[in-house]
């Protein structure tokens, strides 16, 4: 599966810790991330991650484009609900695209753990039935 990783500044360390904890599962998939998040996770875990620009420079839009082209299967986006950002409209567009494409999204650690355990068990293969890619 192609998994995208994004984290607001105040959630980057949480993303790093999450990826350390689930490195074994994540290593079996193709990962991409916004710039700083990808750098921090890669340095802490040794995982191979395709890095896009930072979110503020358009990295979230680059990932949105991959979502729109059905190139992302799962989005882990650790958001800070208390932080108001100028990029919020872009983030809402990205979440809307995930809804349109039936892409599972985790915006917090609890949901991310549910999805990662489902991924490990093979429960997320339903997407190939619901929205097959040709």
């Amino acid at each position: 599966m192609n998994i995208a990783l994004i984290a607001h500044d105040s959630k980057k360390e949480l993303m790093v810790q999450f990826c350390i904890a689930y490195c074994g599962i994540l290593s079996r998939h193709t990962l991409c991330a916004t710039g700083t998040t990808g750098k921090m996770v890669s340095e802490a875990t040794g995982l191979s991650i395709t890095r896009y620009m930072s979110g503020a420079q358009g990295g979230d839009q680059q990932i949105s484009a991959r979502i729109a082209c059905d190139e992302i299967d799962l989005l882990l986006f650790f958001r800070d609900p208390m932080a108001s950002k100028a990029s919020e409209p872009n983030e809402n567009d990205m979440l809307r695209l995930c809804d349109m494409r039936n892409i599972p999204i985790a915006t917090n650690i609890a949901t991310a753990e549910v999805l990662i355990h489902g991924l490990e068990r093979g429960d997320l293969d339903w997407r190939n039935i619901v929205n097959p890619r040709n």
Side-chain angles (χ1 to χ4, degrees), residues 40-64:
M40 290 175 69
V41 169
S42 181
E43 287 175 353
T45 63
L47 290 168
S48 175
I49 301 173
T50 299
R51 288 175 43 208
Y52 295 106
M53 292 184 275
S54 72
Q57 295 177 335
D60 53 350
Q61 291 175 331
Q62 290 177 298
I63 290 176
S64 289

mmCIF file of all heavy atoms in Angstrom, residues 40-64:
data_model
loop_
_atom_site.group_PDB
_atom_site.id
_atom_site.type_symbol
_atom_site.label_atom_id
_atom_site.label_comp_id
_atom_site.label_asym_id
_atom_site.label_seq_id
_atom_site.Cartn_x
_atom_site.Cartn_y
_atom_site.Cartn_z
ATOM 1 N N MET A 40 12.145 13.762 9.655
ATOM 2 C CA MET A 40 12.203 13.348 11.061
ATOM 3 C C MET A 40 11.924 11.851 11.209
ATOM 4 O O MET A 40 12.630 11.152 11.945
ATOM 5 C CB MET A 40 11.215 14.161 11.899
ATOM 6 C CG MET A 40 11.612 15.616 12.064
ATOM 7 S SD MET A 40 10.364 16.596 12.930
ATOM 8 C CE MET A 40 10.475 15.903 14.586
ATOM 9 N N VAL A 41 10.918 11.350 10.509
ATOM 10 C CA VAL A 41 10.566 9.930 10.609
ATOM 11 C C VAL A 41 11.684 9.079 10.023
ATOM 12 O O VAL A 41 12.088 8.074 10.621
ATOM 13 C CB VAL A 41 9.216 9.643 9.915
ATOM 14 C CG1 VAL A 41 8.977 8.140 9.789
ATOM 15 C CG2 VAL A 41 8.076 10.305 10.679
ATOM 16 N N SER A 42 12.211 9.458 8.878
ATOM 17 C CA SER A 42 13.276 8.696 8.237
ATOM 18 C C SER A 42 14.521 8.629 9.117
ATOM 19 O O SER A 42 15.130 7.569 9.268
ATOM 20 C CB SER A 42 13.608 9.314 6.884
ATOM 21 O OG SER A 42 14.608 8.578 6.242
ATOM 22 N N GLU A 43 14.891 9.761 9.694
ATOM 23 C CA GLU A 43 16.075 9.786 10.555
ATOM 24 C C GLU A 43 15.893 8.928 11.805
ATOM 25 O O GLU A 43 16.829 8.281 12.264
ATOM 26 C CB GLU A 43 16.414 11.220 10.952
ATOM 27 C CG GLU A 43 17.005 12.033 9.814
ATOM 28 C CD GLU A 43 17.229 13.499 10.163
ATOM 29 O OE1 GLU A 43 16.802 13.943 11.255
ATOM 30 O OE2 GLU A 43 17.832 14.208 9.326
ATOM 31 N N ALA A 44 14.681 8.903 12.349
ATOM 32 C CA ALA A 44 14.437 8.157 13.579
ATOM 33 C C ALA A 44 14.253 6.664 13.344
ATOM 34 O O ALA A 44 14.538 5.857 14.233
ATOM 35 C CB ALA A 44 13.193 8.714 14.286
ATOM 36 N N THR A 45 13.780 6.296 12.146
ATOM 37 C CA THR A 45 13.414 4.894 11.899
ATOM 38 C C THR A 45 14.261 4.195 10.848
ATOM 39 O O THR A 45 14.287 2.968 10.803
ATOM 40 C CB THR A 45 11.953 4.798 11.430
ATOM 41 O OG1 THR A 45 11.834 5.483 10.179
ATOM 42 C CG2 THR A 45 10.997 5.368 12.460
ATOM 43 N N GLY A 46 14.884 4.961 9.963
ATOM 44 C CA GLY A 46 15.590 4.364 8.844
ATOM 45 C C GLY A 46 14.670 3.945 7.702
ATOM 46 O O GLY A 46 15.120 3.361 6.725
ATOM 47 N N LEU A 47 13.384 4.262 7.818
ATOM 48 C CA LEU A 47 12.432 3.924 6.768
ATOM 49 C C LEU A 47 12.715 4.742 5.513
ATOM 50 O O LEU A 47 13.115 5.904 5.594
ATOM 51 C CB LEU A 47 10.999 4.207 7.228
ATOM 52 C CG LEU A 47 10.427 3.283 8.304
ATOM 53 C CD1 LEU A 47 9.135 3.859 8.870
ATOM 54 C CD2 LEU A 47 10.190 1.887 7.741
ATOM 55 N N SER A 48 12.489 4.130 4.365
ATOM 56 C CA SER A 48 12.622 4.825 3.093
ATOM 57 C C SER A 48 11.332 5.603 2.841
ATOM 58 O O SER A 48 10.250 5.018 2.795
ATOM 59 C CB SER A 48 12.854 3.809 1.976
ATOM 60 O OG SER A 48 12.876 4.453 0.730
ATOM 61 N N ILE A 49 11.439 6.920 2.697
ATOM 62 C CA ILE A 49 10.272 7.784 2.549
ATOM 63 C C ILE A 49 10.511 8.770 1.417
ATOM 64 O O ILE A 49 11.514 9.489 1.407
ATOM 65 C CB ILE A 49 9.990 8.568 3.853
ATOM 66 C CG1 ILE A 49 9.746 7.600 5.015
ATOM 67 C CG2 ILE A 49 8.809 9.512 3.674
ATOM 68 C CD1 ILE A 49 9.619 8.273 6.366
ATOM 69 N N THR A 50 9.588 8.812 0.466
ATOM 70 C CA THR A 50 9.631 9.843 -0.562
ATOM 71 C C THR A 50 9.161 11.132 0.092
ATOM 72 O O THR A 50 8.069 11.185 0.646
ATOM 73 C CB THR A 50 8.706 9.484 -1.743
ATOM 74 O OG1 THR A 50 9.165 8.266 -2.319
ATOM 75 C CG2 THR A 50 8.709 10.595 -2.793
ATOM 76 N N ARG A 51 10.009 12.162 0.030
ATOM 77 C CA ARG A 51 9.683 13.417 0.693
ATOM 78 C C ARG A 51 9.277 14.465 -0.317
ATOM 79 O O ARG A 51 9.945 14.675 -1.324
ATOM 80 C CB ARG A 51 10.884 13.910 1.502
ATOM 81 C CG ARG A 51 11.119 13.068 2.735
ATOM 82 C CD ARG A 51 12.361 13.454 3.495
ATOM 83 N NE ARG A 51 12.516 14.895 3.630
ATOM 84 C CZ ARG A 51 13.676 15.499 3.745
ATOM 85 N NH1 ARG A 51 14.786 14.819 3.765
ATOM 86 N NH2 ARG A 51 13.731 16.811 3.875
ATOM 87 N N TYR A 52 8.175 15.125 -0.014
ATOM 88 C CA TYR A 52 7.712 16.250 -0.804
ATOM 89 C C TYR A 52 8.097 17.536 -0.078
ATOM 90 O O TYR A 52 8.767 17.497 0.946
ATOM 91 C CB TYR A 52 6.203 16.158 -1.036
ATOM 92 C CG TYR A 52 5.844 14.958 -1.882
ATOM 93 C CD1 TYR A 52 5.249 13.847 -1.312
ATOM 94 C CD2 TYR A 52 6.132 14.935 -3.237
ATOM 95 C CE1 TYR A 52 4.938 12.738 -2.083
ATOM 96 C CE2 TYR A 52 5.827 13.832 -4.009
ATOM 97 C CZ TYR A 52 5.233 12.731 -3.433
ATOM 98 O OH TYR A 52 4.935 11.647 -4.197
ATOM 99 N N MET A 53 7.661 18.669 -0.601
ATOM 100 C CA MET A 53 7.952 19.937 0.064
ATOM 101 C C MET A 53 7.291 19.954 1.439
ATOM 102 O O MET A 53 6.420 19.133 1.731
ATOM 103 C CB MET A 53 7.431 21.099 -0.785
ATOM 104 C CG MET A 53 8.175 21.278 -2.089
ATOM 105 S SD MET A 53 7.612 22.723 -3.013
ATOM 106 C CE MET A 53 6.221 22.032 -3.872
ATOM 107 N N SER A 54 7.690 20.898 2.254
ATOM 108 C CA SER A 54 7.015 21.047 3.540
ATOM 109 C C SER A 54 5.564 21.440 3.280
ATOM 110 O O SER A 54 5.233 21.939 2.198
ATOM 111 C CB SER A 54 7.712 22.097 4.408
ATOM 112 O OG SER A 54 7.472 23.386 3.884
ATOM 113 N N GLY A 55 4.717 21.210 4.262
ATOM 114 C CA GLY A 55 3.299 21.532 4.094
ATOM 115 C C GLY A 55 3.075 22.989 3.741
ATOM 116 O O GLY A 55 2.274 23.308 2.857
ATOM 117 N N ALA A 56 3.798 23.889 4.388
ATOM 118 C CA ALA A 56 3.632 25.324 4.147
ATOM 119 C C ALA A 56 4.065 25.727 2.741
ATOM 120 O O ALA A 56 3.594 26.726 2.209
ATOM 121 C CB ALA A 56 4.432 26.122 5.181
ATOM 122 N N GLN A 57 4.934 24.932 2.138
ATOM 123 C CA GLN A 57 5.413 25.244 0.788
ATOM 124 C C GLN A 57 4.655 24.479 -0.293
ATOM 125 O O GLN A 57 5.018 24.541 -1.461
ATOM 126 C CB GLN A 57 6.905 24.934 0.685
ATOM 127 C CG GLN A 57 7.755 25.818 1.561
ATOM 128 C CD GLN A 57 9.223 25.420 1.487
ATOM 129 O OE1 GLN A 57 9.561 24.286 1.191
ATOM 130 N NE2 GLN A 57 10.093 26.380 1.768
ATOM 131 N N GLY A 58 3.628 23.734 0.103
ATOM 132 C CA GLY A 58 2.818 23.031 -0.890
ATOM 133 C C GLY A 58 2.904 21.519 -0.846
ATOM 134 O O GLY A 58 2.339 20.847 -1.706
ATOM 135 N N GLY A 59 3.597 20.967 0.138
ATOM 136 C CA GLY A 59 3.719 19.514 0.239
ATOM 137 C C GLY A 59 2.382 18.814 0.412
ATOM 138 O O GLY A 59 2.164 17.732 -0.155
ATOM 139 N N ASP A 60 1.473 19.441 1.178
ATOM 140 C CA ASP A 60 0.150 18.828 1.335
ATOM 141 C C ASP A 60 -0.603 18.833 0.012
ATOM 142 O O ASP A 60 -1.359 17.911 -0.298
ATOM 143 C CB ASP A 60 -0.656 19.488 2.451
ATOM 144 C CG ASP A 60 -0.772 20.996 2.321
ATOM 145 O OD1 ASP A 60 -0.083 21.592 1.476
ATOM 146 O OD2 ASP A 60 -1.561 21.587 3.074
ATOM 147 N N GLN A 61 -0.366 19.847 -0.827
ATOM 148 C CA GLN A 61 -0.996 19.881 -2.155
ATOM 149 C C GLN A 61 -0.398 18.813 -3.070
ATOM 150 O O GLN A 61 -1.114 18.225 -3.887
ATOM 151 C CB GLN A 61 -0.857 21.267 -2.771
ATOM 152 C CG GLN A 61 -1.693 22.306 -2.047
ATOM 153 C CD GLN A 61 -1.463 23.702 -2.574
ATOM 154 O OE1 GLN A 61 -0.393 24.037 -3.060
ATOM 155 N NE2 GLN A 61 -2.497 24.525 -2.484
ATOM 156 N N GLN A 62 0.898 18.550 -2.922
ATOM 157 C CA GLN A 62 1.508 17.481 -3.705
ATOM 158 C C GLN A 62 0.898 16.134 -3.338
ATOM 159 O O GLN A 62 0.602 15.310 -4.214
ATOM 160 C CB GLN A 62 3.022 17.448 -3.483
ATOM 161 C CG GLN A 62 3.747 18.623 -4.105
ATOM 162 C CD GLN A 62 5.229 18.589 -3.796
ATOM 163 O OE1 GLN A 62 5.636 18.661 -2.641
ATOM 164 N NE2 GLN A 62 6.027 18.466 -4.841
ATOM 165 N N ILE A 63 0.695 15.912 -2.056
ATOM 166 C CA ILE A 63 0.067 14.665 -1.622
ATOM 167 C C ILE A 63 -1.392 14.627 -2.066
ATOM 168 O O ILE A 63 -1.884 13.588 -2.509
ATOM 169 C CB ILE A 63 0.238 14.468 -0.105
ATOM 170 C CG1 ILE A 63 1.714 14.167 0.195
ATOM 171 C CG2 ILE A 63 -0.672 13.351 0.416
ATOM 172 C CD1 ILE A 63 2.076 14.035 1.642
ATOM 173 N N SER A 64 -2.080 15.770 -2.015
ATOM 174 C CA SER A 64 -3.461 15.834 -2.517
ATOM 175 C C SER A 64 -3.527 15.418 -3.984
ATOM 176 O O SER A 64 -4.459 14.720 -4.395
ATOM 177 C CB SER A 64 -4.037 17.245 -2.358
ATOM 178 O OG SER A 64 -4.271 17.535 -1.008
#
